[in-house]
Amino acid sequence: MLSILYKKIFEEKWPSELGGVLLALLNTLLFLYSGPIGATNAVIADWGRWIYNFALLNLQSPVHFLQTSRYFPQSIMYIGLMVGVFLSALLAKQFNLRREKIGGYIQGFIGGALMGIGSFLAGACILGGLYSGIMGLSLSGFVMMAGLLAGVYIGVKFVMWQINRQADNLFSPDSRQINTASKDFIVKKNWRDIQPKIAIIGSLLVLAIVSVDTLVGTKFPSAALLSGILFGIIFQRSAFCFVAAFREI
């Protein structure tokens, strides 16, 4: 019975509709704490300042509205989001390191750079500018949606060109063999079985951090951390992706 329940919750994909409803409810609750999920441009600037300070350059952020504390709530929230995705993938026994060709890394870097530039030009990311913007009936959210649709159209055309090119090369007369699934993509059974145990240890560590903050009062934004973890779990379990939603249109 417990194994069936575990599989239903942590291994099987949640309906995307359920993910959307849970995200909307969680984002609405965030209004009561610090504001909706977003402000990625501020987070990127804050993380950049962390890196520079870590390198002993003592760089002062030009963005004056950023808090001087190293515990900037939005930054902790996005760290929590990554932790939540990681823990959820471990509980589902789906975590695996995959390698990409050099072209894939270059393409990923260019795509990430364009996203960073776009978030600063728009003053918000997809989450803050589109998702939370439309929830608040902001005109900027709908304008950003139009721009995203145009960008996705161009991106899909480029991806389809890549796919067709790879297909032509794969089935060309010069091709002597068809590559099958690489061993790099096969997760060994013992590694799969140990993943939930790692997730439990990670969850206990998060619980310890929140407990210390509650009992001692370290001014650590525990609510932001927990909110980010919940966002990450919902994203991973329901495969809810804003980029995929636009691409499917």
Side-chain angles (χ1 to χ4, degrees):
M1 182 65 182
L2 290 177
S3 61
I4 297 176
L5 184 63
Y6 182 91
K7 186 176 181 180
K8 284 285 185 182
I9 297 176
F10 297 109
E11 294 187 11
E12 294 183 3
K13 177 185 174 299
W14 296 354
S16 298
E17 295 81 3
L18 176 62
V21 171
L22 292 176
L23 287 173
L25 291 175
L26 182 57
N27 201 43
T28 303
L29 290 176
L30 268 181
F31 273 97
L32 303 176
Y33 170 66
S34 62
I37 186 172
T40 306
N41 49 358
V43 171
I44 293 173
D46 194 40
W47 290 7
R49 186 181 61 176
W50 287 355
I51 295 173
Y52 277 108
N53 288 339
F54 181 75
L56 302 179
L57 296 178
N58 195 26
L59 180 72
Q60 296 298 320
S61 172
V63 186
H64 298 294
F65 63 82
L66 286 179
Q67 299 181 11
T68 57
S69 172
R70 57 180 175 172
Y71 298 138
F72 183 47
Q74 290 288 353
S75 293
I76 301 301
M77 180 186 296
Y78 281 100
I79 291 175
L81 191 150
M82 290 185 286
V83 171
V85 171
F86 179 63
L87 293 177
S88 181
L90 288 174
L91 289 171
K93 303 178 183 179
Q94 296 175 348
F95 180 79
N96 188 26
L97 295 176
R98 296 176 174 86
R99 290 184 297 178
E100 182 62 80
K101 295 180 179 179
I102 184 65
Y105 292 118
I106 294 175
Q107 185 171 316
F109 177 82
I110 294 175
L114 290 176
M115 289 177 64
I117 294 172
S119 67
F120 271 89
L121 290 178
C125 64
I126 293 178
L127 290 172
L130 172 72
Y131 179 57
S132 298
I134 291 180
M135 280 185 63
L137 297 180
S138 172
L139 179 60
S140 62
F142 295 95
V143 174
M144 189 173 187
M145 180 176 66
L148 286 169
L149 285 172
V152 167
Y153 178 80
I154 298 173
V156 167
K157 288 293 183 181
F158 177 74
V159 171
M160 292 305 299
W161 172 79
Q162 285 184 310
I163 293 175
N164 292 330
R165 185 181 178 187
Q166 291 177 359
D168 292 339
N169 294 333
L170 184 64
F171 296 105
S172 65
D174 297 333
S175 178
R176 296 180 180 273
Q177 61 181 4
I178 299 177
N179 293 327
T180 56
S182 172
K183 292 182 179 179
D184 295 334
F185 291 87
I186 301 176
V187 182
K188 295 182 179 179
K189 186 177 184 303
N190 57 347
W191 166 234
R192 288 173 56 89
D193 292 339
I194 202 175
Q195 288 186 28
K197 299 176 182 177
I198 299 176
I200 293 175
I201 295 174
S203 301
L204 292 176
L205 180 60
V206 172
L207 180 62
I209 293 174
V210 175
S211 300
V212 170
D213 174 62
T214 303
L215 297 175
V216 180
T218 60
K219 296 183 179 180
F220 182 83
S222 300
L225 177 66
L226 293 176
S227 299
I229 291 176
L230 290 176
F231 270 115
I233 293 174
I234 296 172
F235 280 136
Q236 201 278 336
R237 286 287 75 230
S238 61
F240 195 95
C241 176
F242 294 99
V243 176
F246 277 88
R247 184 175 63 241
E248 289 170 5
I249 294 177

